[in-house]
């Protein structure tokens, strides 16, 4: 019993500690947080509203908006982009363009994370 | 627990013993006493690994943080208490069932134990005086001795012990991507859903082990009722990464074989083993013994096959198979070239036991504490990090050859505690790990081959009996003694 009280105490002390901002990273077996994944992996090119259609890096790239998408179809595409993690059998997919770039952004995501991200994009970017 | 087996095994044992004029009680006592020594390999431990006789406590101070409260983390915490006057120890462990007994998963998969026999709760084994943070570490900043959890808690430390175990990388296998990655303990419903209910299974998680027994029974039943002369295919894999307990993929094969025989269905089944490697075991003597046993039991085996894909609808497992061929003559070298080849081999299965590829947790692999391969690079003898001298690693996550078993942890945690305290005292690190690993290979229900070895790749038996012979006495140990030894001896007292 003593043990349990002690550990409960420690846990609650930890909980009220000052500077706490929960952090999220993909691929670490955490419950998916699609909005954070979007901010981390997608927003730079696609914009928070999904309407951005060009990005100026060393050269300018142009692409389509990602609003009004169907969640299942999007998840399927993103999974194809990601491919298997280590298998040589899957190269970057060029079917939809920007294969290598998309693969880099998606490579850490589990399928569960891709599913929840697709759902979030479909629900929120109209 | 399946008492029928224990009982029939015990009655067989009684017969064996009676022949030697010994009672079961006397034998158990003997196995109990020597059993402890056996698992520790006490009689053969090198001088460096020998336990200090007296536990002299050190007065050094410093905040020790242990990441991962599984077998290695919890027993290290407990042992540190024995040697420190002013312990300041924090364990960070998010999983409530973290100290569950993983070696028992094999027995659960074979229907000998129930899942409740191996579940052990973290909160029952947090030693008094050790602080616990029930969160997951996400970010490591070893340059400033700091780490951060997913909840955003920032933890500072003077000394860090990494004991996070490893991730089971099911998602690397095409067709199982939905499974994601997994750890052995805790909720694995996502994994079970991805594997489905038609023969694919894995004892590498606790829940998966229970499901393995369900699937096994189903296909044994199928073999029993087979009348068309075709054989029910039982397929077993071993991946191209290091795995914890390299023997487990074969143990579950042997248990399936034993269960098929018991059901009178062995004649209608074919058991095949597809390891990625080119041998059964890194130690030649054990390799030979296992090949002999495979022949006796009529298994088939195919070296250099790595599982890369499963088709759940058609029930086909696809392996990447590798071999070498004689190439064209090289006039400069005056010899033929050797050409490496590989092709996809499609294998129909009814029952498929998957030993998943295994890797270091991503938070470790991608931090400055990981190596190119992900594992924590430590001096394999002292267990100290090669770049950060206030950081140590132990257990499955440490980059130590052949070391991913509970038996290795049992050696390593003593070495680590001695060296960590020496480091805190500013002394030279005195203790050395010699690579000891133990792998009790279950060969059938009732017998085990106790494979013990170290980096010399020589068998290092801690008992004066031929280690390549299967014995019921090892089985008795596996069933009755190893769990209390681990849970009570290591985690509860830090002494075993
Ligand atoms: C099927 C099977 C059979 C086996 N058979 C045998 C056997 O017969 N003999 C034998 O000696 N060994 C056997 N083993 C191996 C043995 O169980 C392991 O080697 C042992 O558990 C390793 O201990 P560990 O503490 O390193 O890892 P674990 O016991 O896996 O513990 C790691 C802990 O770290 C925690 N963690 C991970 N990441 C983080 C993080 N970021 N932050 C905080 N905490 C984290 C996890 O939640 C986990 O609780 C077997 C294993 C399996 C799966």
């Amino acid at each position: 019993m003593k043990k349990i009280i002690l550990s409960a105490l420690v846990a609650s002390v930890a909980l009220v500690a000052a500077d706490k901002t929960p952090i999220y990273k993909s691929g670490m077996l955490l419950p998916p947080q699609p909005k954070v994944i979007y901010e981390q992996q997608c927003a730079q090119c696609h914009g928070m509203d999904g309407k951005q259609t060009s990005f100026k890096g060393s050269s300018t790239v142009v692409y389509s908006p990602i609003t009004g998408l169907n969640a299942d179809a999007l998840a399927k595409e993103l999974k194809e982009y990601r491919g298997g993690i280590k298998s040589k059998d899957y190269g970057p997919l060029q079917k939809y363009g920007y294969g290598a770039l998309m693969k880099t952004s998606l490579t850490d995501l589990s399928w569960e994370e891709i599913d929840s991200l697709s759902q979030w994009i479909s629900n929120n970017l109209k | 627990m399946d008492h029928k087996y224990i009982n029939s095994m015990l009655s067989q044992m009684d017969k064996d013993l009676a022949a030697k004029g010994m009672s079961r009680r006397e034998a158990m006592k003997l196995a109990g006493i020597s059993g402890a020594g056996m698992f520790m390999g006490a009689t053969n431990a090198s001088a460096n690994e020998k336990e200090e006789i007296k536990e002299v406590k050190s007065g050094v101070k410093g905040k020790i943080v242990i990441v991962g409260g599984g077998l290695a983390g919890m027993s290290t915490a407990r042992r540190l208490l024995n040697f420190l006057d002013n312990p300041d120890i924090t364990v960070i462990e998010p999983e409530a069932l973290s100290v569950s007994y993983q070696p028992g998963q094999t027995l659960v998969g074979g229907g000998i134990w129930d899942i409740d026999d191996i579940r052990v709760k973290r909160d029952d084994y947090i030693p008094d005086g050790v602080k616990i943070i029930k969160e997951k570490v996400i970010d490591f900043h070893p340059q400033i001795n700091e780490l951060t959890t997913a909840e955003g808690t920032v933890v500072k430390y003077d000394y860090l012990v990494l004991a996070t175990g490893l991730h089971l990388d099911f998602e690397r296998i095409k067709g199982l991507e939905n499974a994601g990655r997994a750890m052995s303990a805790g909720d694995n419903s996502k994994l079970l859903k991805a594997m489905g209910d038609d023969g694919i299974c894995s004892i590498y998680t606790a829940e998966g082990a229970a499901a393995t027994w369900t699937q096994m029974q189903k296909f044994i039943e199928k073999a029993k009722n087979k009348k068309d002369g075709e054989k029910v295919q039982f397929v077993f894999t071993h991946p191209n990464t290091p795995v914890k307990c390299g023997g487990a993929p074969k143990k579950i094969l042997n248990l399936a074989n034993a269960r098929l025989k018991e059901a009178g269905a062995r004649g209608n089944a074919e058991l095949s083993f597809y390891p990625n490697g080119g041998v059964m075991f890194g130690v030649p003597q054990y390799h030979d013994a296992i090949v002999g046993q495979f022949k006796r039991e009529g298994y088939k085996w195919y070296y250099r096959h790595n599982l890369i894909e499963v088709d759940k609808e058609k029930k086909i497992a696809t392996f990447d198979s590798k071999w070498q061929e004689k190439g064209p003559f090289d006039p400069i070298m005056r010899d033929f070239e050797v050409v490496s080849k590989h092709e996809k081999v499609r294998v129909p299965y009814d029952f498929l036991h998957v030993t998943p590829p295994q890797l270091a947790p991503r938070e470790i692999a991608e931090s400055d504490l990981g190596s190119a391969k992900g594992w924590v690079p430590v001096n394999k003898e002292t267990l100290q990090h090669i770049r950060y001298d206030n950081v140590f690693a132990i257990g499955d996550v440490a980059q130590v050859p052949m070391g991913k078993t509970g038996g290795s942890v049992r050696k390593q945690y003593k070495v680590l505690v001695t060296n960590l305290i020496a480091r805190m005292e500013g002394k030279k690190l005195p203790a050395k790990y010699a690579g000891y690993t133990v792998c009790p290979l279950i060969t059938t229900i009732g017998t085990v081959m106790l494979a013990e070895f170290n980096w010399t790749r020589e068998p290092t038996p801690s008992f004066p009996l031929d280690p390549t012979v299967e014995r019921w006495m090892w089985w008795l140990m596996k069933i009755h003694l190893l769990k209390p030894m681990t849970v009570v001896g290591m985690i509860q007292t830090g002494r075993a």
Side-chain angles (χ1 to χ4, degrees):
Chain A
M1 196 59 202
K2 191 161 141 229
K3 276 186 262 185
I4 293 165
I5 292 171
L6 184 71
S7 51
L9 198 75
V10 173
S12 57
V13 168
L15 281 178
V16 295
D19 51 345
K20 299 236 309 181
T21 334
I23 41 179
Y24 181 81
K25 283 192 183 171
S26 51
M28 297 205 173
L29 314 187
L30 295 169
Q33 292 186 24
K35 182 159 179 283
V36 182
I37 298 174
Y38 188 84
E39 287 163 4
Q40 288 174 351
Q41 305 293 346
C42 321
Q44 196 185 11
C45 290
H46 293 287
M48 268 320 283
D49 57 2
K51 290 182 181 143
Q52 188 176 314
T53 54
S54 71
F55 183 78
K56 204 169 164 42
S58 50
S59 64
T60 305
V61 288
V62 184
Y63 38 84
S64 310
I66 52 163
T67 49
L69 297 179
N70 171 281
D72 291 342
L74 176 59
K76 181 172 173 289
E77 267 182 40
L78 293 180
K79 286 170 185 172
E80 286 176 1
Y81 267 125
R82 195 206 77 169
I85 291 185
K86 301 234 163 53
S87 169
K88 292 190 280 300
D89 292 346
Y90 312 81
L93 180 85
Q94 297 304 344
K95 192 154 83 180
Y96 315 104
Y98 302 110
L101 189 67
M102 287 296 286
K103 188 176 167 78
T104 321
S105 308
L106 292 161
T107 192
D108 284 349
L109 304 188
S110 68
W111 275 29
E112 191 187 20
E113 285 169 324
I114 292 180
D115 285 335
S116 82
L117 173 66
S118 305
Q119 197 66 56
W120 185 89
I121 291 176
S122 172
N123 290 346
N124 292 281
L125 309 184
K126 305 274 180 195
Chain B
M1 191 172 295
D2 187 337
H3 289 288
K4 194 174 76 192
Y5 273 93
I6 311 296
N7 288 338
S8 76
M9 191 268 303
L10 286 175
S11 78
Q12 180 55 42
M13 192 182 96
D14 286 343
K15 267 190 251 155
D16 280 7
L17 289 172
K20 297 199 177 72
M22 215 197 260
S23 76
R24 189 198 294 181
R25 218 184 121 90
E26 285 163 341
M28 292 281 267
K29 226 168 107 191
L30 185 77
I33 297 160
S34 20
M38 227 181 299
F39 190 43
M40 287 157 44
T43 50
N44 261 37
S46 76
N48 284 334
E49 271 182 39
K50 278 247 167 72
E51 264 255 58
E52 344 25 13
I53 311 291
K54 267 191 294 168
E55 289 182 355
V56 186
K57 291 205 179 188
S58 169
V60 284
K61 288 188 185 150
K63 177 169 181 182
I64 303 171
V65 171
I66 300 174
V67 181
L71 174 63
M74 276 308 184
S75 48
T76 301
R78 183 63 194 80
R79 188 169 173 85
L80 278 166
L81 286 179
N82 297 348
F83 291 93
L84 289 173
D85 265 337
N86 307 294
D88 179 358
I89 304 167
T90 305
V91 174
I92 309 181
E93 170 59 67
E95 171 55 54
L97 292 170
S98 70
V99 286
S100 291
Y101 183 61
Q102 294 176 33
Q105 286 168 206
T106 316
L107 295 170
V108 173
I112 290 152
W113 279 1
D114 296 326
I115 192 164
D116 289 335
D117 294 324
I118 61 167
R119 280 197 164 130
V120 188
K121 293 197 192 101
R122 170 195 60 200
D123 294 353
D124 291 344
Y125 288 93
I126 299 164
D128 285 339
V130 169
K131 290 167 224 121
I132 179 98
I133 299 177
K134 299 176 184 180
E135 296 173 14
K136 177 168 187 144
V137 178
I138 290 297
D139 253 331
F140 292 91
H141 305 286
Q143 298 88 348
I144 52 169
N145 294 336
E146 199 178 277
L147 49 82
T148 316
T149 70
E151 279 79 354
T153 309
V154 177
V155 180
K156 290 199 161 287
Y157 59 83
D158 299 313
Y159 305 96
L160 178 67
V161 177
L162 296 169
T164 60
L166 51 70
H167 281 182
L168 306 166
D169 195 12
F170 286 99
E171 70 180 5
R172 196 190 303 187
I173 300 163
K174 198 173 171 189
L176 293 181
E177 293 98 332
N178 266 330
R181 295 181 182 184
M183 296 208 68
S184 290
D187 174 20
N188 270 307
S189 45
K190 191 174 60 162
L191 169 66
L192 293 189
K193 197 165 151 229
M195 292 207 282
D197 185 31
D198 197 13
I200 303 180
C201 57
S202 177
I203 56 170
Y204 271 77
T205 67
E207 291 180 350
T212 299
W213 176 230
T214 311
Q215 297 300 325
M216 193 188 287
Q217 284 171 289
K218 206 157 77 186
F219 289 94
I220 289 175
E221 197 55 33
K222 194 171 167 196
K224 213 167 142 181
N225 299 325
K226 263 266 180 223
K227 305 243 156 43
D228 57 7
E230 278 185 28
K231 296 197 187 244
V232 178
Q233 296 296 330
F234 287 74
V235 173
F236 299 81
T237 74
H238 189 130
N240 64 349
T241 62
V243 299
K244 47 181 167 183
C245 193
K250 296 181 201 78
K251 296 180 205 177
I252 191 68
L253 159 65
N254 287 330
L255 286 173
N257 181 47
R259 289 298 195 182
L260 277 161
K261 283 198 215 165
E262 161 210 36
R266 179 63 179 88
N268 292 336
E270 189 158 274
L271 297 149
S272 318
F273 185 50
Y274 287 84
N276 176 71
V279 287
M280 288 291 179
F281 214 92
V283 179
Q285 286 89 330
Y286 295 133
H287 166 85
D288 294 344
I290 293 168
V291 169
Q293 189 237 344
F294 268 50
K295 283 187 187 150
R296 279 200 304 283
E297 296 299 336
Y299 305 155
K300 302 213 155 143
W301 64 98
Y302 306 89
Y303 293 128
R304 300 187 191 85
H305 279 68
N306 183 38
L307 179 69
I308 54 170
E309 184 175 343
V310 291
D311 183 334
K312 288 185 269 189
E313 298 293 308
K314 300 201 182 92
K315 302 204 70 170
I316 300 222
T318 303
F319 292 85
D320 186 28
S321 147
K322 297 172 282 295
W323 72 96
Q324 293 186 324
E325 276 179 10
K326 191 161 119 183
F329 189 76
D330 183 332
I332 297 166
M333 299 301 287
R334 293 178 187 216
D335 204 350
F336 291 95
E337 287 175 20
V338 176
V339 189
S340 296
K341 300 232 164 168
H342 73 119
E343 68 174 5
K344 284 185 180 178
V345 175
R346 291 158 55 82
V347 176
Y349 68 84
D350 293 295
F351 172 96
L352 175 67
H353 181 269
V354 178
T355 300
Q358 299 173 27
L359 38 70
R362 176 165 285 157
E363 56 274 25
I364 298 274
E366 292 182 354
S367 78
D368 201 32
L369 295 168
S371 64
K373 293 216 153 168
W375 313 108
V376 182
V378 290
N379 175 313
K380 68 177 186 179
E381 292 182 327
T382 63
L383 306 175
Q384 185 179 38
H385 199 279
I386 59 166
R387 289 189 296 275
Y388 298 96
D389 68 358
N390 62 336
V391 178
F392 290 77
I394 178 169
D396 294 344
V397 77
Q399 187 170 320
V400 169
M402 325 196 286
K404 300 194 191 315
T405 67
S408 319
V409 169
R410 185 168 194 143
K411 290 289 188 185
Q412 292 172 357
Y413 87 125
K414 295 181 178 173
V415 171
L416 190 151
V417 166
T418 306
N419 285 346
L420 174 54
I421 292 174
R423 169 65 183 76
M424 292 167 80
E425 291 172 336
K427 292 187 189 145
K428 217 171 145 253
L429 309 190
K432 288 198 166 111
Y433 173 62
Y436 174 84
T437 301
V438 60
C439 187
L441 283 164
I442 298 169
T443 47
T444 181
I445 293 174
T447 58
V448 168
M449 192 193 300
L450 194 72
E452 295 178 283
F453 51 100
N454 64 17
W455 292 325
T456 62
R457 291 188 184 263
E458 282 295 317
T460 44
S462 34
F463 214 66
L465 294 169
D466 182 351
T468 63
V469 174
E470 308 153 28
R471 287 174 205 279
W472 56 258
M473 199 162 33
W474 305 158
W475 170 262
L476 203 67
M477 271 190 48
K478 170 94 190 157
I479 293 279
H480 290 294
L481 292 170
L482 294 192
K483 183 183 168 193
M485 202 76 64
T486 317
V487 175
V488 179
M490 291 171 70
I491 302 177
Q492 201 169 52
T493 69
R495 287 199 173 89

